[in-house]
Amino acid sequence: MRIVLVGPPGAGKGTQAAYLAKNLAIPHISTGDLFRANISQGTPLGQKAQEYMRAGQLVPDEVTIGMAKDRMQQPDAAHGFLLDGFPRNLAQAEALDGILKADDLKLDAVLDLEVPEDEVVKRIAGRRMCRKDSSHIFHAIYNPPKTEGVCDTCGGELYQREDDSEETVRKRLEVYHSETEPIIDYYKAQGLVVTISALGKVVEVTQRAMAALGRD
Ligand code: AP5
């Protein structure tokens, strides 16, 4: 399956993607994680992305689209993928259509996670990410690690993302409404959108998502 996950910052895309990718046996491709890996390795791409991410703005399309394309063309993605955080505006959505069309492929579904804004703000404020593996995501209240600051799964150090400050989150939400939400209508016109509520326990949301994708 080729799936796009869409939803506001903090909706739980990364959390759900880890489970859905495992259940569906497809790789989880997160442009945010790819940028963070480049930043921690100090690559030129990471240096460029960091200034935009710090400001809560989108990294320019000419950097993002090439990076996403390269990742989608890796052998593990030959039979499907779960895109998280890409596409994020109409130009990226059109570029993705072109990339898939060139190989005679198409998307199967766009899974839209719906969460009220006050819940998103609470989720982001308490988020703790693992430095060793970005798919290990915790929350200080909703999903606390057994030992504060330490990942239950791999023992990695837990940290708060630099772009999770209140001011940057406000900017990210603004960018989501103005640039990313229009892609939902773009995909609705193609009959690809399935919308689910992302409220409730993580496992309940995963079950809802699998059912919406016809894989329960
Ligand atoms: P990115 O990393 O993609 O961030 P985002 O889309 O803002 O989403 P988040 O990672 O903040 O949230 P999430 O929905 O994954 O939630 P999570 O599962 O962590 O992008 C970061 C930046 O990179 C962008 O601002 C931009 O600058 C750049 N970028 C990335 N892609 C780009 C692109 N295509 N083009 C241009 N720029 C790009 O969950 C959040 C918290 O909630 C966690 O603590 C979790 O434990 C908790 N939680 C999850 N589910 C539940 C639940 N059901 N109940 C209670 N708590 C829950």
Side-chain angles (χ1 to χ4, degrees):
M1 286 188 99
R2 290 178 180 81
I3 303 167
V4 167
L5 252 187
V6 70
K13 300 183 295 297
T15 301
Q16 289 305 322
Y19 294 103
L20 293 173
K22 203 170 164 191
N23 289 351
L24 297 166
I26 48 177
H28 167 206
I29 299 180
S30 156
T31 40
D33 286 349
L34 291 172
F35 286 134
R36 281 184 286 278
N38 273 279
I39 290 170
S40 66
Q41 288 155 17
T43 68
L45 189 150
Q47 281 161 14
K48 176 144 189 145
Q50 191 167 29
E51 55 182 291
Y52 293 94
M53 291 172 79
R54 272 189 181 141
Q57 284 166 350
L58 296 187
V59 179
D61 291 343
E62 58 269 27
V63 176
T64 307
I65 292 168
M67 180 186 75
K69 183 178 177 192
D70 283 350
R71 179 63 190 88
M72 281 185 276
Q73 290 178 341
Q74 297 298 311
D76 67 333
H79 302 293
F81 47 69
L82 180 60
L83 290 176
D84 161 11
F86 181 87
R88 230 175 171 103
N89 60 23
L90 283 171
Q92 292 181 13
E94 283 162 3
L96 175 61
D97 278 352
I99 292 165
L100 293 173
K101 210 169 170 189
D103 287 329
D104 217 11
L105 300 171
K106 56 185 179 54
L107 289 175
D108 294 290
V110 174
L111 184 64
D112 169 28
L113 299 186
E114 234 176 31
V115 193
E117 206 142 302
D118 56 345
E119 175 67 13
V120 151
V121 171
K122 283 187 217 158
R123 287 187 183 184
I124 290 183
R127 171 167 44 201
R128 303 290 182 270
M129 303 265 295
C130 175
R131 274 203 203 281
K132 276 197 194 162
D133 187 329
S134 52
S135 70
H136 303 160
I137 307 170
F138 296 83
H139 190 283
I141 296 161
Y142 301 141
N143 178 26
K146 291 192 185 84
T147 307
E148 205 187 312
V150 182
C151 175
D152 288 354
T153 317
C154 71
E157 182 201 350
L158 298 182
Y159 74 104
Q160 269 192 288
R161 267 169 47 179
E162 197 184 0
D163 60 345
D164 278 354
S165 70
E166 199 186 322
E167 193 192 343
T168 311
V169 168
R170 254 200 302 271
K171 181 69 194 166
R172 284 163 59 201
L173 281 166
E174 204 183 293
V175 169
Y176 178 74
H177 293 310
S178 62
E179 305 221 24
T180 308
E181 269 180 351
I183 72 169
I184 298 176
D185 283 336
Y186 175 83
Y187 285 128
K188 272 186 181 161
Q190 298 180 29
L192 288 172
V193 178
V194 279
T195 301
I196 61 161
S197 163
L199 287 176
K201 290 187 184 149
V202 170
V203 62
E204 291 167 354
V205 180
T206 308
Q207 282 164 358
R208 231 173 267 152
M210 291 297 287
L213 295 170
R215 294 297 183 102
D216 51 340

